[in-house]
Amino acid sequence: MAKLWKKPTRTSSWRKLSVGMWNRPSDPTVYGHETHPADKILTYLEEVSAYSGQKITMTAYLVKSMAIMFSLYPELNVIVVGNRVLQRENIDIFCQVAVAGGDGKDADLSGVKIRNADRLSIVEIAEYLHTRATRVRKGQDEEIEQTKSMIDKIPPLLLPAVMRMVDMLTFAVPIDLGKLGIRDDPFGSGMVTNCAPFNIRLGLAPLVPASRTPLVLLPGAVYQAPAVVDGKVKVADVMSSSFTLDHRCYDGYHIGKLVTTMRECLMDPAYHHPPAESFKQGGAEAGKPASPATEKNAEKAPADAPKRRTPESSAKTPA
């Protein structure tokens, strides 16, 4: 039986050139972005900051939101090792940290991993991020400085081979190699990289091959734009966020769960986060981890707050 295609009558020069330049598609990256009103999130951050005495940033809020999402859907907390998609046991979230240049040094990009983010409250996450990020920017973080020192000593020609070896030792060897400087899963379940400080409203981040992290969330700067608020179009503070996903780990069904939960957190903290007053200094729940979708939290939520979601109800909501 003949093939179901034939030679075209004419092929443009650009089409011939493009086929010669590129190979078949092999990149599993999926991109998506949404824009939401930001007034409820900003109010929540201000209130939690006031009650707790700790400045709560958008990054800390999104780290906790991502941890909640992985708690609701453990099947999304995965990693590709070899030719298999495996389940991660911990929910660790990695945050990018920009390091300004100066004194003859170039600007750099580093990061901080929040271990067991699902067990920490948003206040604890914000405090940890502030402390670690300050140390990283001052060059006082021993772990980061050790890694940078090692990289600086490797000739550029050998760096790709060394990175492949480190990748193999990190993810394929089933023993602890911490004494050799090989950290166990150094990036974790997902990444949050905030471009708002650079006044970027929308960006699309790449997946970092060496991280084995299948999810990157990139929030942009808050700005004013027409938006639908309470059924009416008006000028409001809005924020755009983008997702970068590994299609080997997630298909449309999984992405629908992920996006729905994060959309709920971006639209209104009352969906999954505890009331701001629960973080009041000296209160019974101050500093305690936020427990998503609990009856106690639902009772304290504002009367007009949307109904809390569960894994079952969220799965029925189209992305």
Side-chain angles (χ1 to χ4, degrees), residues 135-136 139-150:
R135 284 164 47 192
V136 169
Q140 298 173 349
D141 190 283
E142 183 177 344
E143 189 176 89
I144 297 295
E145 293 304 309
Q146 181 183 18
T147 301
K148 290 168 63 176
S149 176
M150 181 184 68

Side-chain angles (χ1 to χ4, degrees), residues 85-102:
V85 178
L86 303 178
Q87 187 82 37
R88 274 188 166 98
E89 295 182 350
N90 295 340
I91 298 177
D92 303 333
I93 309 298
F94 188 89
C95 290
Q96 308 285 359
V97 175
V99 181

Side-chain angles (χ1 to χ4, degrees), residues 60-112:
Y61 176 82
L62 293 175
V63 167
K64 183 58 185 177
S65 298
M66 187 178 289
I68 289 172
M69 182 273 296
F70 281 125
S71 296
L72 286 172
Y73 304 109
E75 67 271 23
L76 302 183
N77 189 23
V78 295
I79 181 173
V80 176
V81 179
N83 294 321
R84 294 187 298 169
V85 178
L86 303 178
Q87 187 82 37
R88 274 188 166 98
E89 295 182 350
N90 295 340
I91 298 177
D92 303 333
I93 309 298
F94 188 89
C95 290
Q96 308 285 359
V97 175
V99 181
D103 298 328
K105 297 182 179 180
D106 292 332
D108 204 352
L109 186 65
S110 188
V112 173

Side-chain angles (χ1 to χ4, degrees), residues 187-208:
F187 295 91
S189 309
M191 286 188 181
V192 176
T193 175
N194 194 344
C195 64
F198 313 117
N199 199 29
I200 298 173
R201 294 181 177 180
L202 176 64
L204 299 172
L207 293 173
V208 182

Side-chain angles (χ1 to χ4, degrees), residues 160-186:
V162 172
M163 290 185 66
R164 287 193 294 270
M165 180 180 69
V166 171
D167 180 80
M168 184 269 294
L169 293 174
T170 301
F171 297 103
V173 176
I175 58 175
D176 184 7
L177 299 176
K179 293 182 179 180
L180 301 178
I182 306 297
R183 289 177 288 162
D184 179 35
D185 195 11

